[in-house]
Amino acid sequence: MNVHVVKTVPITYHMVVEAYRKVKQGGKAVGIDGESWTDFERKGAERELYVIWNRMASGSYFPKEVREVEIPKKDGKSRKLGIPVIRDRIAQQVVKKYMEQRIDTRFHPNSYGYRPLKSSREAIDQVRQNCLQQDWVIDMDISNFFDEIDHDLLLKALEAMELESWVRMYVQRWLQMKVVKTDGTMYERGNKGTPQGGVISPILANLFLHYGLDRWLEINYPEVKFVRYADDAVVHCKDKEEAEQLLSAIKARMTEIGLRLNETKTKIVYCKDYRRRQNHAQVQFGFLGFSYQPRAAQSKIEKGKSFTTFTPEISKENQKKIREAIRDEVDWNNTSMKVEQIAEKLNSKLRGWINYFGLYGKRQLHKVMFYLDSKLLKWIGRKHKQGVRKSVCQLQAIRQENPAMFYHWEKGYC
């Protein structure tokens, strides 16, 4: 197979192969054509990748429609995801990687979402540090961000980054992809929106808000600290007056770029603790699964003395989600299982929860893990048809014999 053909677009076959390996690690949901990874590889991955490269490198690649999927939200509404076909996911990854290598370093250092050298952990910690230094927070919520991104402004942002015309060409084609709803009907986006679920959507979102919010704040309010993770942003202010004025300015800015803030979810929060004792209706906000709020902490200097601090800890919503996952992942009525099988089912999830939510404020996470031990206790009682006391002794014996059987035991959550 000759892969050294002269093409008009600087995309190599190797770039397409790398993109294939990357996106294959992601979701398994199928696009509008119903093709799975198994189907794709059955046809011959090398040949299929060659076709993608050949078309992309010649500028003749055109994407298929996006399959719309609705995911229920906790407020009873639904979030719309757009699932591209496998070939479009690969093609988008090629362009995304190409764009990242050229523009990521130009993004604002306070932008943490979906960037190769940034993480949610860094964002969470930066917000925590900012809350110690600044008394007030604007907790921003942008309404339907991915559905409302203005295509013309986004393409203008691409030009400002001085990316090649072929990048703009492919991005424009993906923006113009039609959407197929669950009932089979098809619609056009109407010059706005990028499918949440598309491989290239996160970098396009970062690009849009780089100019729409980050650079705007940097130019007009250089003294203000903020942290943004995709469309989730927290802005820190020194006093209430500054927070109120800045919130009004941000609302006007959002209108200017075709977006709007969710009035019910956007709020001004006071970072109340032992030093900051003003009365304010809002003293709590959420960010990336954590709840930042006043909490009691033990003094390290005076033994037995506590004080109020403003810190992050796993949110109530995520505590509930973990309990539901523990309940649903295992058939707790199946007494023919072995305890090792339960551990095998849960340990990968436990590892993820603890390694993420155990970063700060472990008290509530301990309570969630106690819920798991209570489920184990009841399961042992049913399995051996015995009372609570004997079941407690048996669970303790299992743990003493194998303290690393469950990941939360290994990490001291009991």
Side-chain angles (χ1 to χ4, degrees), residues 52-115:
I52 294 170
W53 166 72
N54 191 44
R55 291 177 181 172
M56 288 196 77
S58 63
S60 62
Y61 187 93
F62 286 88
K64 284 188 172 293
E65 299 84 2
V66 172
R67 182 171 72 91
E68 187 174 87
V69 177
E70 294 189 4
I71 306 297
K73 295 168 66 174
K74 61 185 178 183
D75 60 3
K77 298 180 181 179
S78 61
R79 180 194 299 113
K80 293 180 180 179
L81 300 183
I83 311 298
V85 299
I86 283 176
R87 286 162 178 76
D88 288 336
R89 277 178 252 177
I90 294 169
Q92 287 184 22
Q93 175 61 30
V94 170
V95 179
K96 176 196 170 189
K97 180 73 177 290
Y98 188 89
M99 289 174 63
E100 270 180 354
Q101 292 171 341
R102 285 152 182 81
I103 69 174
D104 185 78
T105 55
R106 295 175 62 181
F107 285 156
H108 199 283
N110 292 349
S111 168
Y112 291 86
Y114 307 106
R115 296 182 60 188

Side-chain angles (χ1 to χ4, degrees), residues 198-211:
V199 174
I200 204 166
S201 293
I203 194 170
L204 296 182
N206 273 336
L207 177 60
F208 190 89
L209 285 179
H210 170 71
Y211 289 107

Side-chain angles (χ1 to χ4, degrees), residues 335-401:
T335 54
S336 64
M337 283 192 301
K338 294 181 179 180
V339 69
E340 291 85 357
Q341 291 175 293
I342 297 176
E344 187 177 345
K345 280 180 174 288
L346 292 175
N347 270 338
S348 63
K349 290 183 178 293
L350 291 172
R351 186 175 291 107
W353 293 327
I354 289 171
N355 289 345
Y356 184 71
F357 291 112
L359 287 171
Y360 307 104
K362 300 180 181 181
R363 188 181 309 166
Q364 296 304 320
L365 191 56
H366 271 281
K367 292 180 181 179
V368 177
M369 294 301 109
F370 179 78
Y371 172 78
L372 170 54
D373 282 349
S374 69
K375 296 291 286 185
L376 285 168
L377 193 63
K378 291 176 182 177
W379 175 79
I380 288 172
R382 285 193 296 269
K383 183 177 179 70
H384 299 285
K385 297 180 174 62
Q386 61 191 24
V388 174
R389 185 174 297 178
K390 285 187 177 180
S391 298
V392 168
C393 293
Q394 192 163 348
L395 184 59
Q396 287 175 342
I398 292 170
R399 183 170 180 180
Q400 287 173 359
E401 186 177 340

Side-chain angles (χ1 to χ4, degrees), residues 17 37 43 62 76 155 177 190 197 243 261 283 305 312 340 384:
V17 172
W37 284 110
K43 294 175 182 177
F62 286 88
L155 293 172
M177 286 188 299
L261 296 183
V283 293
K305 188 175 182 180
E340 291 85 357
H384 299 285

